[in-house]
Amino acid sequence: MVSWEPVAAVARRARRGLAATTVVALACALAACGSSSSSSDGARTQLSWVLGGAPRSLDTPRGVDVSSLTVAGLALEPLVTLDAGGEAQPALARRWTTPSPRTVEFRLRDDVRFWDGRPLTAADVEYSLRRIVDPRSQTGGFFTSVAGVRATGARGVRIDLRHPDAGLLAKLAIYGLVVQRDYAERKGDALGSPNGLTMGTGPYRVTRFSPAAGIEIERNDRYWGDRPAYRTIRFEIIPDAETRRLALSSGDVDGTFDVPLTDARRWSQTNGMGVFRTPMIAVSYLSMDVSAAPFDDVHVRRAVAHAVDREGLLQAVTSDYAQPAGSFFPAAQLDSVLGADGARELVASLPRYDFDLDQARAELARSRHPDGFSVSLPFAAGAPQWRQIAQSVAANLRQIGITVTPEQMPGDKWIAQLFAHEDLQMQGTDSRQSTPDPNEIASVTLSQAAARPGGFNLANFTTPALERELATLAGGDEAARPEALRAIARTVATEVPYLPLWYPEQPAALHEGLELTVDDNPWLQFNGAWLRALRPAS
Amino acid sequence: MDILAFIGRRLLAMAALLAIVSFLVFGLLTLAPGSPEQTLLGTRPATPEAVAAIRDQYDLDEPFLERYGTWIAHAVQGDFGDSVQSQQPVTDVLAQRWPATLELALYAFAIALLVAIPAGMVAGVRRGGAVDRGVSLTALIGFSAPAFATGILLLYVFGVELEWVPTFGLGDGVGDRLLHLTLPAITLAIAGSALLVRQTRAAVMDVATRDYMTFARARGLSRRRIWISYALRNSALPIVTAGGLLLATMLTGAVLVEQTFGLPGMGSLLVESVGSQDIPVVQALTLITAAVVVAMNLAIDLVYLAVDPRIRHGRSR
């Protein structure tokens, strides 16, 4: 039986002033606890953070869900991290060079030790990165550009690419977390699991991982970088959103990123806590499989585009924690290549699909399926906003003769059917980007190489012209990229293989004793950047 | 001897019942949509090597009855295989969860007993009086209120507004654990107490009118003797039955309370496992639930024997 050792929760106990166990003690506590619900202690030693679900694995190739990365990002470190502007900053790598467009060479720091005292070596980095870029892992799909990883000497690591990859450093920052090779080989399959834990170089060491009771991490006093602020961090797992809200309100926990978007307004109005917006480079969209009937007909796709009430859904589903999507590309990705003005011009020039059921009916009448058809829209059980979207889409499309059946399935099964890439029909998903480079989403959702099992071209949308434009966008000729991006954006907007819904933001909820000092960093949730952005409320 | 024979017969019946349940539970895997390999792989990629490894690990090439035999042989030793979701042994997963469920159920049961039996007895003896009407009305409200609603209400009042108790989780250490479980135990006990109150009241009402009660009062026996040795003992059978079944329900069906208060117990594990199609865990939990209910029935019968001499000596007449 797993026993739970007591952790000093001095602050909490002091606030409630309880020591005994009976109802009598409760009565005494009423007098003792007073009315304070905000943190009164100056130097906080423990932070209590909430996850909506248990991390799948602390071993990154097997756990790319946000819960796993939130914890792993404090325990394990990458070669580089991202600052608020998306620029790579040194982390485990002191510096790096690109001797050719297809080679990156990193030089490691020499003062980094793992928690057990052993020094970090290039062999550890080579081992870790090889597992991360392995196509059989969950992270492999992000690193298809990597041909090989090699340690060059005791402090050097070299990455060889199949083609230039502008987003490589950002992806390494988020997913390229380094573990100790000896420990990983010793633990084998148990690495990253509650039994095996992990061995890293990060500011916090994982001491307890229980999918039921939560995760505990302790400060690494030998950390090479800035001294971590808290002595211990406890990750509580509270699947029920309402309980999460009450726990935050009462101060039993300090904060969470798992704010249900549909309820965000009520959370921001709850006493004792505040909701902060943080940006994300992301787009939520519906995809339609153009390789099979009925979505192989562009009139059908345009009919669907006219029949989805995007503005209404944005209000209802995201509680305004999203921006309307002018195009399939997140705003930051258009801005980085076209500039803010150029991006605005492009979006204004794209065909619009206003919510208009008459136009939808007209488009459908022009198609090969004027009498409508049936299709299913699968979504994951743990994604309530997609249930609402599916129901709204079903209700609206029914009015033009299309029967959409929302199909709820377990999260794992939903992911599995996405990866299986069979009979995709209509799908809905959120795509969170690691970089402001439009090539990231373009190559992953529009390339021919991604139109197969394991790939994310869920619309199976590919043309020779598009492949040429994608190659230009990915290539090294900076002058040609803007026109290529415009062409791709126009193609997607005209052919509508993907119907963008909105650009979601990431709300964070904090107990009133804390505040978030950063609101412009889309990578706040990664590599523990959120932790460094927390401050006691003024 | 008769008692031993009685127990022996009941144990045999228990074993037969569990065997049937285990057979049905094992058949779940074959009924699940998709191939068994796909279900057992979960999100892991279905490469030919992985599929072959799964087929080997779970002996999927063997005929159904042989597989059942292997599974049940392992199950009685406590080995239910590995969880599909976390790849931990199912027994480890259960071991993390059963303390919360057990402690919550026992705590709630204790509250229910302490509240319901005295209230029911008073209501039964003073039938028709103000106390009886008050108790019955409260019982009706308690029985009708859904657990998730009362749970959230209590959580809001006592956890958020008054801050007397924490809002979720199990806490560390014995004292903290009792504190964390108080509100969930009260929530769970509300509906159960209501049922127990009604049963107690009905049983005591029946006994209160008997001649021996009048005679005991006439003889001037102490109130304590009358209430406990006469009234309670004679009305024990229905109360024990209701109480035993209540404990079984609390042990196996507290999922709404667990979800509301963020307790990592077996109920929420069952819901999660069904949701993620984690068949080995679902099989283990279903079997354990059946075993708990059957064992509780046996326990009720044994308590009968202990409490009521008429049953103990009945057969020898």
Side-chain angles (χ1 to χ4, degrees):
Chain A
M1 174 182 149
V2 174
S3 65
W4 194 246
E5 279 148 26
V7 171
V10 174
R12 250 185 277 142
R13 287 221 200 95
R15 207 187 315 133
R16 281 199 233 100
L18 291 166
T21 70
T22 62
V23 179
V24 174
L26 288 176
C28 297
L30 180 57
C33 80
S35 62
S36 82
S37 58
S38 61
S39 154
S40 56
D41 35 316
R44 299 287 303 272
T45 52
Q46 183 181 261
L47 184 75
S48 177
W49 198 258
V50 183
L51 303 171
R56 192 159 292 139
S57 170
L58 296 180
D59 179 33
T60 315
R62 283 181 287 188
V64 290
D65 54 307
V66 176
S67 290
S68 303
L69 287 175
T70 305
V71 179
L74 286 169
L76 307 173
E77 296 189 286
L79 289 171
V80 299
T81 55
L82 295 172
D83 64 17
E87 297 295 321
Q89 298 296 326
L92 289 182
R94 213 174 53 216
R95 55 187 172 81
W96 55 95
T97 57
T98 46
S100 87
R102 285 203 279 221
T103 322
V104 190
E105 286 187 355
F106 296 89
R107 201 102 212 112
L108 300 177
R109 296 182 69 101
D110 44 19
D111 59 344
V112 181
R113 290 184 178 274
F114 289 99
W115 304 324
D116 61 2
R118 294 174 51 177
L120 170 76
T121 66
D124 296 307
V125 177
E126 175 194 78
Y127 173 81
S128 307
L129 290 186
R130 280 203 182 147
R131 292 180 73 237
I132 300 231
V133 306
D134 189 323
R136 289 166 299 181
S137 71
Q138 290 183 13
T139 44
F142 300 113
F143 295 100
T144 50
S145 62
V146 174
V149 181
R150 206 157 31 99
T152 57
R155 294 266 172 269
V157 177
R158 179 192 160 109
I159 296 184
D160 294 296
L161 303 171
R162 292 194 182 95
H163 52 79
D165 185 350
L168 177 71
L169 289 179
K171 287 181 283 194
L172 280 177
I174 296 173
Y175 302 110
L177 304 179
V178 175
V179 299
Q180 186 190 81
R181 181 179 70 176
D182 282 350
Y183 186 92
E185 283 175 342
R186 222 179 329 128
K187 292 291 177 180
D189 264 350
L191 180 69
S193 77
N195 296 329
L197 298 183
T198 188
M199 174 63 65
T201 61
Y204 287 91
R205 179 169 46 100
V206 182
T207 53
R208 184 87 60 184
F209 174 15
S210 162
I215 297 111
E216 248 179 59
I217 61 178
E218 260 175 33
R219 176 159 63 206
N220 172 14
D221 288 311
R222 281 186 293 208
Y223 182 57
W224 58 270
D226 294 333
R227 182 169 165 75
Y230 296 92
R231 183 146 51 85
T232 55
I233 300 179
R234 194 150 156 177
F235 290 95
E236 308 280 1
I237 297 164
I238 307 181
D240 187 69
E242 192 56 22
T243 308
R244 236 179 283 151
R245 185 179 71 89
L246 293 177
L248 267 170
S249 175
S250 73
D252 284 340
V253 291
D254 295 309
T256 183
F257 279 110
D258 286 300
V259 180
L261 281 182
T262 48
D263 252 347
R265 207 168 281 131
R266 191 153 62 100
W267 280 52
S268 61
Q269 290 162 355
T270 305
N271 285 336
M273 56 190 262
V275 177
F276 299 81
R277 278 172 198 272
T278 69
M280 261 208 298
I281 305 180
V283 57
S284 301
Y285 60 89
L286 291 171
S287 74
M288 291 174 271
D289 184 1
V290 311
S291 68
F295 293 114
D296 55 347
D297 186 335
V298 67
H299 293 289
V300 169
R301 302 197 295 271
R302 289 194 191 132
V304 171
H306 278 295
V308 172
D309 183 6
R310 284 178 275 176
E311 274 168 42
L313 278 173
L314 195 155
Q315 295 288 328
V317 171
T318 70
S319 305
D320 264 338
Y321 281 86
Q323 303 293 323
S327 83
F328 181 57
F329 289 90
Q333 292 188 340
L334 288 180
D335 288 353
S336 75
V337 171
L338 301 173
D341 293 325
R344 221 173 303 133
E345 263 179 54
L346 171 64
V347 170
S349 76
L350 294 175
R352 292 175 57 88
Y353 298 96
D354 295 323
F355 176 52
D356 186 344
L357 288 177
D358 292 323
Q359 273 197 287
R361 273 187 212 104
E363 283 284 350
L364 195 62
R366 258 179 258 146
S367 75
R368 290 194 291 273
H369 306 267
D371 297 324
F373 51 87
S374 282
V375 75
S376 70
L377 176 55
F379 62 93
Q385 72 271 25
W386 280 102
R387 179 184 305 125
Q388 283 185 284
I389 296 170
Q391 284 168 347
S392 167
V393 168
N396 284 333
L397 287 181
R398 193 180 309 133
Q399 297 184 46
I400 66 171
I402 301 176
T403 309
V404 173
T405 313
E407 198 184 324
Q408 176 173 307
M409 48 181 71
D412 293 347
K413 188 148 172 248
W414 176 77
I415 294 177
Q417 59 99 30
L418 271 187
F419 275 115
H421 212 89
E422 265 174 40
D423 201 25
L424 286 169
Q425 298 194 321
M426 195 187 268
Q427 300 281 340
T429 184
D430 314 290
S431 180
R432 185 169 189 166
Q433 304 292 295
S434 339
T435 73
D437 180 5
N439 186 47
E440 189 186 346
I441 194 172
S443 60
V444 164
T445 59
L446 292 169
S447 69
Q448 191 181 32
R452 62 171 66 113
F456 273 99
N457 189 344
L458 300 176
N460 287 318
F461 182 69
T462 175
T463 68
L466 188 59
E467 283 293 293
R468 281 195 297 275
E469 303 290 357
L470 285 173
T472 313
L473 188 65
D477 184 0
E478 284 298 321
R481 295 186 84 212
E483 199 42 51
L485 179 57
R486 284 194 202 98
I488 296 171
R490 266 185 225 117
T491 309
V492 174
T494 316
E495 294 294 317
V496 204
Y498 296 111
L499 181 63
L501 297 173
W502 48 72
Y503 305 133
E505 289 167 345
Q506 173 66 62
L510 295 175
H511 184 59
E512 63 190 2
L514 285 174
E515 62 184 16
L516 210 56
T517 58
V518 166
D519 65 353
D520 62 346
N521 183 351
W523 297 279
L524 200 61
Q525 272 186 282
F526 303 113
N527 306 125
W530 56 275
L531 190 62
R532 293 185 284 278
L534 289 180
R535 294 278 181 277
S538 42
Chain B
M1 269 310 287
D2 289 312
I3 298 178
L4 286 177
F6 170 74
I7 294 177
R9 271 200 302 275
R10 289 301 304 273
L11 283 174
L12 273 176
M14 241 179 87
L17 196 58
L18 284 177
I20 295 174
V21 172
S22 70
F23 193 76
L24 291 171
V25 154
F26 186 75
L28 264 182
L29 185 58
T30 48
L31 286 175
S35 66
E37 298 96 348
Q38 197 63 42
T39 313
L40 288 165
L41 277 173
T43 38
R44 288 174 283 173
T47 60
E49 305 89 48
V51 170
I54 284 281
R55 288 196 76 86
D56 189 45
Q57 183 186 355
Y58 288 90
D59 298 318
L60 291 178
D61 294 317
E62 310 264 315
F64 179 76
L65 283 176
E66 270 191 50
R67 271 191 284 140
Y68 170 69
T70 325
W71 178 73
I72 198 73
H74 286 298
V76 296
Q77 291 169 40
D79 174 17
F80 290 98
D82 293 337
S83 156
V84 164
Q85 248 210 324
S86 63
Q87 272 103 57
Q88 278 185 295
V90 173
T91 24
D92 283 359
V93 176
L94 293 179
Q96 291 163 6
R97 302 283 192 144
W98 71 258
T101 301
L102 187 65
E103 289 163 20
L104 175 65
L106 289 176
Y107 196 174
F109 189 57
I111 294 176
L113 286 180
L114 288 173
V115 166
I117 293 183
M121 289 186 74
V122 169
V125 167
R126 309 249 159 84
R127 180 180 159 187
V131 171
D132 178 27
R133 276 202 281 267
V135 164
S136 296
L137 182 63
T138 314
L140 181 64
I141 296 172
F143 198 63
S144 319
F148 58 86
T150 49
I152 289 278
L153 183 64
L154 288 174
L155 191 56
Y156 183 67
V157 171
F158 293 100
V160 179
E161 287 296 305
L162 295 174
E163 283 193 36
W164 283 7
V165 284
T167 49
F168 75 96
L170 285 174
D172 319 304
V174 176
D176 208 24
R177 177 70 57 98
L178 274 172
L179 191 61
H180 277 78
L181 285 179
T182 299
L183 221 47
I186 292 175
T187 309
L188 192 55
I190 287 175
S193 320
L195 187 67
L196 211 48
V197 158
R198 302 289 296 177
Q199 284 288 335
T200 309
R201 176 180 172 273
V204 168
M205 253 164 43
D206 181 49
V207 162
T209 54
R210 295 292 175 91
D211 289 339
Y212 55 78
M213 289 293 293
T214 318
F215 192 42
R217 270 199 294 274
R219 279 189 292 153
L221 294 178
S222 72
R223 305 247 324 230
R224 190 166 145 221
R225 191 108 182 260
I226 295 178
W227 281 98
I228 296 182
S229 307
Y230 282 75
L232 186 58
R233 192 121 180 239
N234 279 289
S235 53
L237 259 49
I239 298 176
V240 164
T241 312
L245 293 176
L246 178 64
L247 182 57
T249 314
M250 285 177 171
L251 278 170
T252 57
V255 55
L256 285 175
V257 171
E258 284 176 22
Q259 291 278 74
T260 307
F261 291 92
L263 302 173
M266 307 251 272
S268 40
L269 177 64
L270 183 60
V271 171
E272 279 167 35
S273 305
V274 169
S276 57
Q277 294 190 324
D278 194 340
I279 298 285
V281 175
V282 173
Q283 286 173 335
L285 277 175
T286 316
L287 206 53
I288 287 174
T289 304
V292 163
V293 172
V294 169
M296 196 58 60
N297 273 287
L298 180 61
I300 292 174
D301 285 337
L302 290 178
V303 172
Y304 277 10
L305 288 178
V307 161
D308 195 335
R310 291 171 296 184
I311 299 179
R312 215 183 305 144
H313 299 290
R315 298 195 193 284
S316 58
R317 242 163 259 265

